[in-house]
Amino acid sequence: MNDEKRVYRFGGDEQGRDVTEGSASMNYVLGGKGANLAEMCRLGLPVPGGFTITCQTCVAYSGAGDVWPLGALDEIDEATRDLERRMGRKLGDPDDPLLVSVRSGAPFSMPGMMDTVLNLGLNDEAARGLIKQTQDEHFVWDSYRRFIQMFSDVVMGVDAELFENALTEKRLVAGVKSDAELSSGDLFELVEEFKGIFQEHVSASDHPELVVDGKVMFPQDPAVQLRLAIEAVFGSWMNERACLYRKRNGIPDDLGTAVNVQAMAYGNKGDSSATGVAFTRDPASGENVRYGDFLINAQGEDVVAGIRNTQPIQEMGSYPALADAARDLERIFQILEAHYRDMMDIEFTIEQGKLWMLQTRVGKRTATAALRIAIDMVEEGLIDRETAVRRIDPAQLDQLLHPQFNTHTAPDVLARGLNASPGAAVGEIVFSSDDAVRRAGEGVPVVLVRWETNPDDLKGMVAAEGILTSHGGKTSHAAVIARGMGAPCVCGVEAFRIDAAAKEVHVEGTDVVLREGDIISIDGTTGIVVAGAVPLKRAELTGDLETILSWADEIRLQPGSTHPYHVRVNADNPEDAELALGFGAEAIGLCRTEHMFLGDRKEIIQSFILSDDEQERQAALDSLLTVQRRDFLKMFKTMDDRDVVVRLIDPPLHEFLDDPRSLEVRIARLEAAGAPAEELEALKARLRRIDGMAEMNPMLGLRGVRLSFVFPELPLMQVRAIASAAALLIRDEGLAPKPEVMVPLVSLESEQVQMRSICEQVIDEVAAEYGVALDIPVGTMLELPRACLMADAIAQHADFLCFGTNDLTQTTFGFSRDDAESKFIPIYLHNKLLERNPFETIDEGVLELVRMAVEKGRSVKPELTCGVCGEHGGDPESIKGLFNVAGVDYVSCSPYRVPVARLAAAQAKLAEMA
Ligand code: PEP
Ligand code: MG
């Protein structure tokens, strides 16, 4: 028999003594929910008793093809008996039955993704027993019909709509608006009707254990109910939406979910009962105010499902029957924050005036709230600055740079809802997730408009620019998920009367009717909805973000046990440079000069490459020198005395040439139109030259430093432009520009030796010409495995090394950076051949090459500066690995990634100091 402990108890025993076996640190065993239920018990908070079945049991069960590990069912059985003893009630007891909830709870929060069953243990006898105990038929039949409904849907997969339809019909017949208004007689009838639906839609061959007298029956044995419910929760770990959620959030698939079996507390026992969800602070703004919703006389699922409109938590104290519970809740908010030192998210139920805690976890929050809460908590003395910096998810900062409405005048508001997730979005209205996916796949931005979303809408929410719901509060499914994704969301737009079948919305109080395909704009920061397209702009970096980033800078720039970690920007025009300075870039780590040859300059470079006429080629070079010098003057001036690393021309030259196929078509058309022979001949000669330059593998061809040996005029011109721009600023404006030259795609030491000598010669000539001293370092870009292997030899001739990890990834794997991501990387990810896209997050093999090259480089030059300027320089996880594993001095990334990189760099430094 396996002696692994599979079940952990929480809560009190018969004498009220705490018998909790777990704690908050056990979330990989008990899941987040189980671990925190245990922790709340340890804090002495009111938690209904229960037990948690471990995540490892789920993994073992699923891994064995849905077969229970040996002894696990016995352990659950024993825990159930123990819970019955502790609660003084038995499951299915005809006099005083115990009812339980069965809830999932994975190590990482996956809100709404997996299954829950409430009121388990009810059967025909127990229902009568409960009536005896409570004298409340309404409550009992309501609970029983909920249980059959939930069990059928969640555990047996019966279509939930069948039950909803029966409920709706019952309300219509009874002439009432809400379920709570149905009479106990109505509810009793519903129980019988629901059992009928169950009988009709559950197949006897799939569930022979439920067949009685030849017919499938709703299971009356609580032990059978419990086992089936636990198996369903295990199974929900692998349901489609849970898998998708994990993929989006980088949660490993092999963790499994725990299952929490807990005595029920009833929020549906009349007007002194309620249920709610709340946050200790506002998760949207971060303001230090309690935040949440509650519903009187309801069960937990009703709040998130958005079936009834909820009330703000602040109003709870104004109901005399709930006032004590509201006071207790406030006290618990304080205990939880002081204990966890973080903003907490809770679920609670009030049963006839008595408060019960059903869940707590560190609350999800918007980026704005994350910053505000971290700063406030430092000021309140709850955490220190380092913890504050550690707590902000760098990837979440993107949210702050999300678009906003860009209008001088207030937009014409069509309707208002709740500002559930910040950022603005504009798109065509779609009414279903499938339509959202389809239209977005066609490249059309869409806004998903729904009455309320449910977990199956995840794919539509991912595809949409923004989400609007007409129902539900700020803790509804749409709000929670959108905030987690960083997608703009406005929910509870009550004026929207949505007819999803007809694909139209009537806007109450107006004669506006919006139809599928109409454009709509939403602002999740303010909750405003506008018909038509509102122009968007990006946010500025101010306030709280600046504070956190300044703390991050203090951390990453302090010497520590190794060196500081710098953040530079990849920019090739003054506007981007300016923007990046505003975002806190310290220097330009990569100026791709070929970007300066686009637009109207393309023709000039074309005539240099294609012309046979020496004079024409020289004239082209002279023009290029003039325009490049002008560009560098502006760039150096913008960057003032900060480093500007200028990379010599890199891509295959044909990228600057006409596409031969379009040129062929043009020639054919001109021929057909009878164009003059000389004109045709000139174009044909051009086509021959372009064809002559074609390569089978351009990415492995004539590019990078190789160009400088085939067209030696190009580096001479470029270095002259760089050096003379610097010389002019020094001589005429008294500035101190700091350009550096970087040689791309080097593989041989000899390439670097020759390039360095060419560069130094030009720099010396220019210095003499302008009568100034020029100190322009010449470095190497390492983007080929050979260069990394020979980094010690190359470093002897390089003033710095900078890793082009885009090409290094391409050449280490032999994956084409232009094609792999659309052709096979998705399949590799899906089949788990790869865990991450290596073009996004640095691969460990590539990282090892970088680490080795840095080490080799510094073995010949201990103070050698080493940086990274591939896309990985803006990816938080890569930023950490590049510092902690490879020991680079800086990363360089695109302007909008700079704030993200500053924060991730500080976190890397903190990990190093830990
Ligand atoms: C690289 O290869 O990582 C790099 C920065 O250069 P580019 O992307 O321009 O090839
Ligand atoms: Mg490159």
Side-chain angles (χ1 to χ4, degrees):
M1 166 127 171
N2 193 332
D3 57 3
E4 179 179 335
K5 187 170 169 59
R6 302 218 174 260
V7 180
Y8 287 73
R9 301 186 295 170
F10 58 82
D13 67 5
E14 305 86 306
Q15 276 83 42
R17 286 180 302 234
D18 186 32
V19 294
T20 301
E21 296 169 317
S23 69
S25 61
M26 292 179 69
N27 62 328
Y28 280 95
V29 178
L30 304 178
K33 185 176 290 182
N36 286 320
L37 280 170
E39 192 74 9
M40 284 198 290
C41 292
R42 289 180 182 279
L43 289 171
L45 304 187
V47 175
F51 57 87
T52 306
I53 305 161
T54 64
C55 300
Q56 288 68 27
T57 310
C58 168
V59 172
Y61 172 85
S62 313
D66 294 352
V67 175
W68 281 93
L70 209 63
L73 281 173
D74 293 338
E75 225 181 304
I76 292 169
D77 206 40
E78 171 47 35
T80 310
R81 300 286 86 79
D82 170 74
L83 181 63
E84 288 177 336
R85 269 193 304 277
R86 290 195 276 143
M87 306 311 294
R89 280 187 265 169
K90 281 188 164 46
L91 285 165
D93 190 303
D95 290 321
D96 184 12
L98 169 68
L99 302 193
V100 293
S101 62
V102 179
R103 295 171 198 261
S104 58
F108 295 95
S109 152
M110 295 171 53
M113 296 299 141
M114 288 180 296
D115 290 341
T116 289
V117 182
L118 303 179
N119 305 318
L120 189 138
L122 270 175
N123 56 22
D124 297 350
E125 287 207 328
R128 275 184 274 280
L130 203 56
I131 292 172
K132 268 190 229 159
Q133 283 301 319
T134 60
Q135 304 298 321
D136 188 346
E137 287 201 35
H138 187 278
F139 155 71
V140 174
W141 298 125
D142 186 46
S143 301
Y144 197 11
R145 71 92 192 161
R146 283 171 187 272
F147 173 49
I148 301 172
Q149 189 173 355
M150 220 171 189
F151 189 90
S152 306
D153 166 21
V154 170
V155 181
M156 311 308 284
V158 180
D159 186 354
E161 222 159 84
L162 296 168
F163 299 95
E164 282 304 332
N165 292 345
L167 255 174
T168 309
E169 200 173 313
K170 189 65 70 191
R171 282 197 305 265
L172 280 175
V173 173
V176 297
K177 281 205 179 119
S178 73
D179 299 345
E181 294 168 82
L182 289 170
S183 72
S184 48
D186 295 331
L187 292 165
F188 174 76
E189 282 168 20
L190 272 174
V191 166
E192 292 308 313
E193 285 169 32
F194 281 11
K195 281 198 237 163
I197 296 175
F198 183 93
Q199 217 166 48
E200 204 178 317
H201 291 88
V202 173
S203 117
S205 53
D206 288 350
H207 293 283
E209 76 275 28
L210 303 184
V211 177
V212 180
D213 296 336
K215 276 198 220 140
V216 170
M217 301 293 278
F218 185 78
Q220 294 290 309
D221 180 352
V224 173
Q225 295 173 354
L226 184 59
R227 181 175 54 75
L228 288 173
I230 296 171
E231 288 174 358
V233 175
F234 281 168
S236 69
W237 173 254
M238 290 311 289
N239 73 29
E240 198 190 328
R241 60 180 194 248
C243 292
L244 179 61
Y245 185 89
R246 285 199 294 277
K247 199 162 153 205
R248 274 190 60 84
N249 291 280
I251 300 173
D253 280 330
D254 57 4
L255 297 175
T257 178
V259 181
N260 299 289
V261 178
Q262 187 176 25
M264 283 293 302
Y266 307 101
N268 55 337
K269 262 190 180 175
D271 287 347
S272 61
S273 301
T275 185
V277 292
F279 295 83
T280 53
R281 301 185 188 212
D282 184 331
S285 71
E287 209 185 327
N288 191 1
V289 291
R290 309 303 180 206
Y291 180 100
D293 311 284
F294 75 103
L295 266 177
I296 294 177
N297 197 13
Q299 280 200 335
E301 302 305 293
D302 299 347
V303 180
V304 242
I307 292 165
R308 282 164 51 194
N309 273 343
T310 52
Q311 302 187 53
I313 200 85
Q314 276 83 359
E315 291 174 12
M316 210 163 89
S318 63
Y319 289 85
L322 302 177
D324 285 351
R327 258 192 307 280
D328 285 348
L329 189 61
E330 176 52 34
R331 188 179 56 84
I332 288 171
F333 279 143
Q334 290 169 18
I335 293 173
L336 286 175
E337 275 215 348
H339 182 71
Y340 285 91
R341 296 168 186 271
D342 209 338
M343 185 270 273
M344 302 304 288
D345 162 357
I346 63 157
E347 283 180 25
F348 64 91
T349 280
I350 300 167
E351 181 179 333
Q352 296 185 320
K354 160 94 177 132
L355 176 69
W356 292 102
M357 300 296 291
L358 301 185
Q359 171 165 315
T360 192
R361 61 187 168 197
V362 171
K364 287 202 187 297
R365 59 203 79 180
T366 62
T368 312
L371 296 169
R372 173 88 186 262
I373 291 169
I375 293 169
D376 283 354
M377 287 196 168
V378 168
E379 278 165 15
E380 291 160 26
L382 276 176
I383 57 173
D384 58 19
R385 284 184 178 190
E386 290 180 357
T387 308
V389 166
R390 216 180 258 123
R391 255 191 204 167
I392 312 291
D393 175 5
Q396 224 192 355
L397 291 192
D398 260 357
Q399 266 186 34
L400 291 177
L401 309 168
H402 267 172
Q404 297 179 331
F405 281 173
N406 186 16
T407 45
H408 295 299
T409 50
D412 209 347
V413 177
L414 175 65
R416 282 176 198 276
L418 301 170
N419 52 339
S421 178
V426 179
E428 276 190 2
I429 296 178
V430 286
F431 292 94
S432 77
S433 283
D434 286 344
D435 287 338
V437 171
R438 185 178 50 77
R439 286 302 276 159
E442 292 164 358
V444 178
V446 296
V447 172
L448 179 61
V449 174
R450 304 277 281 152
W451 189 70
E452 166 58 32
T453 61
N454 63 50
D456 287 331
D457 283 318
L458 189 61
K459 56 181 189 300
M461 296 174 75
V462 170
E465 300 292 311
I467 299 120
L468 180 154
T469 66
S470 61
H471 227 74
K474 285 199 205 172
T475 45
S476 65
H477 177 267
V480 171
I481 298 296
R483 275 202 297 276
M485 297 191 326
C489 175
V490 177
C491 61
V493 184
E494 297 197 352
F496 268 35
R497 297 272 161 248
I498 299 170
D499 184 342
K503 299 195 171 180
E504 55 184 31
V505 185
H506 294 253
V507 184
E508 218 174 62
T510 73
D511 47 19
V512 175
V513 179
L514 296 169
R515 299 196 168 80
E516 185 181 53
D518 288 350
I519 303 285
I520 194 173
S521 304
I522 62 167
D523 185 350
T525 315
T526 56
I528 284 174
V529 182
V530 180
V534 177
L536 301 182
K537 68 164 188 220
R538 290 191 171 271
E540 302 287 323
L541 281 197
T542 50
D544 290 348
L545 181 55
E546 249 334 302
T547 306
I548 288 283
L549 289 178
S550 70
W551 295 350
D553 289 351
E554 271 167 28
I555 294 164
R556 75 186 168 87
L557 296 176
Q558 81 190 41
S561 61
T562 57
H563 46 78
Y565 199 2
H566 298 282
V567 175
R568 299 181 167 195
V569 65
N570 295 350
D572 42 55
N573 58 63
E575 294 74 33
D576 276 1
E578 191 87 53
L579 181 68
L581 284 177
F583 285 156
E586 298 166 66
I588 290 186
L590 173 63
C591 171
R592 290 178 164 104
T593 51
E594 59 272 12
H595 290 177
M596 297 169 162
F597 294 139
L598 299 176
D600 53 0
R601 297 161 183 195
K602 204 164 158 181
E603 248 176 60
I604 316 178
I605 185 114
Q606 282 181 349
S607 68
F608 167 74
I609 301 165
L610 296 175
S611 173
D612 289 327
D613 181 321
E614 259 324 300
Q615 263 183 338
E616 204 177 310
R617 296 185 84 226
Q618 190 54 49
L621 271 179
D622 291 345
S623 314
L624 286 174
L625 176 66
T626 311
V627 293
Q628 284 244 284
R629 187 192 290 127
R630 204 185 306 139
D631 291 335
F632 291 134
L633 276 170
K634 282 194 216 147
M635 290 285 279
F636 299 163
K637 233 175 150 161
T638 307
M639 294 306 287
D640 201 7
D641 58 353
R642 299 174 187 85
D643 292 341
V644 178
V645 177
V646 182
R647 178 179 73 184
L648 299 181
I649 191 162
D650 177 52
L653 276 190
H654 75 261
E655 282 191 10
F656 296 118
L657 304 179
D658 298 325
D659 166 33
R661 268 188 249 160
S662 5
L663 193 54
E664 254 166 14
V665 172
R666 194 171 140 207
I667 293 171
R669 285 212 178 112
L670 284 171
E671 246 170 354
E678 299 114 74
E679 189 188 343
L680 286 171
E681 192 36 50
L683 285 174
K684 283 181 184 169
R686 190 182 176 93
L687 180 61
R688 278 193 298 277
R689 270 205 81 123
I690 294 175
D691 279 340
M693 302 196 75
E695 294 174 289
M696 295 301 281
N697 274 322
M699 271 304 203
L700 301 178
L702 178 57
R703 56 173 292 220
V705 67
R706 300 158 203 168
L707 284 167
S708 295
F709 295 106
V710 176
F711 298 99
E713 305 91 332
L714 277 180
L716 290 177
M717 178 277 291
Q718 286 202 294
V719 178
R720 181 167 290 281
I722 296 164
S724 54
L728 276 170
L729 292 176
I730 297 170
R731 192 191 66 188
D732 299 347
E733 303 198 30
L735 299 177
K738 286 170 70 185
E740 306 190 359
V741 174
M742 183 156 74
V743 186
L745 218 75
V746 167
S747 54
L748 298 164
E749 179 186 357
S750 54
E751 288 170 332
Q752 179 66 17
V753 171
Q754 290 202 25
M755 283 309 294
R756 185 184 182 93
S757 128
I758 291 166
C759 293
E760 283 176 351
Q761 205 175 324
V762 176
I763 293 165
D764 288 348
E765 277 169 26
V766 173
E769 208 176 299
Y770 287 81
V772 295
L774 285 178
D775 175 17
I776 303 181
V778 180
T780 305
M781 203 164 168
L782 296 191
E783 4 187 28
L784 295 169
R786 188 182 193 284
C788 293
L789 295 167
M790 306 303 289
D792 40 0
I794 292 171
Q796 294 182 41
H797 316 284
D799 295 317
F800 60 90
L801 300 181
C802 184
F803 294 85
T805 48
N806 303 333
D807 275 310
L808 190 57
T809 301
Q810 166 166 260
T811 51
T812 301
F813 275 97
F815 285 179
S816 160
R817 59 188 274 191
D818 295 328
D819 301 313
E821 286 171 283
S822 60
K823 293 281 188 289
F824 59 84
I825 286 185
I827 295 171
Y828 267 51
L829 293 171
H830 184 258
N831 292 346
K832 306 216 166 18
L833 292 161
L834 279 173
E835 288 223 333
R836 315 279 163 76
N837 175 353
F839 289 103
E840 258 169 44
T841 300
I842 198 151
D843 162 71
E844 55 182 345
V846 178
L847 186 61
E848 175 57 16
L849 273 175
V850 176
R851 187 202 63 74
M852 197 189 67
V854 169
E855 189 180 286
K856 277 174 172 279
R858 290 198 183 131
S859 74
V860 294
K861 285 189 181 163
E863 300 301 318
L864 188 68
T865 299
C866 300
V868 168
C869 61
E871 285 307 300
H872 306 95
D875 171 66
E877 212 180 308
S878 308
I879 292 169
K880 291 176 196 169
L882 287 165
F883 185 76
N884 299 121
V885 177
V888 304
D889 301 277
Y890 68 85
V891 285
S892 189
C893 56
S894 57
Y896 277 102
R897 303 301 293 173
V898 167
V900 174
R902 285 164 71 192
L903 183 60
Q907 292 176 348
K909 186 83 183 168
L910 283 171
E912 172 229 3
M913 295 186 320

